[in-house]
Amino acid sequence: MMPGGLSDTKPATPQVQHIADQVKPQFESRENRTCGIFKAIVYRTQVVAGTNYFIKVQVSEAGYAHLRVFMSLPQENQGPRLDGVQTGKTRDDPLTYF
């Protein structure tokens, strides 16, 4: 992987689901909706001064969203921050930089 580039798309892990769960309230507030489903499907990472996680989440029976979540370096002692959202996605939409 090139420095600053995106990793390959990988199946979501329990750690990625935990990150998604932590930013769910930020997503719901930003989108002004409540999600009964919020399941991480796949993800990519980008190493910056911390790590950007690009996560595809299922937000309804047939609806998906792409999240960009910034995780600061551990010594900064900050939680994940939702930096970007793309809604209206499908299960087959590729997860790309945004």
Side-chain angles (χ1 to χ4, degrees):
M1 180 174 81
M2 183 167 41
L6 288 180
S7 70
D8 291 335
T9 302
K10 300 174 195 149
T13 64
Q15 176 193 9
V16 171
Q17 181 64 56
H18 180 67
I19 293 168
D21 291 342
Q22 288 181 287
V23 298
K24 181 181 178 188
Q26 295 172 53
F27 175 84
E28 291 177 332
S29 175
R30 182 180 286 195
E31 295 298 309
N32 197 26
R33 65 185 274 198
T34 301
C35 300
I37 301 171
F38 206 74
K39 180 181 179 189
I41 305 298
V42 294
Y43 76 103
R44 298 176 80 177
T45 57
Q46 177 190 37
V47 176
V48 288
T51 304
N52 280 322
Y53 284 83
F54 294 83
I55 307 170
K56 178 183 292 193
V57 293
Q58 183 177 5
V59 294
S60 67
E61 202 59 44
Y64 293 82
H66 293 179
L67 312 179
R68 186 176 73 236
V69 179
F70 178 71
M71 293 286 293
S72 62
L73 297 170
Q75 61 268 27
E76 294 179 15
N77 201 25
Q78 296 177 4
R81 180 182 74 218
L82 184 62
D83 278 353
V85 172
Q86 291 181 329
T87 57
K89 297 294 186 176
T90 69
R91 185 172 183 91
D92 297 328
D93 284 332
L95 190 54
T96 59
Y97 183 89
F98 64 93

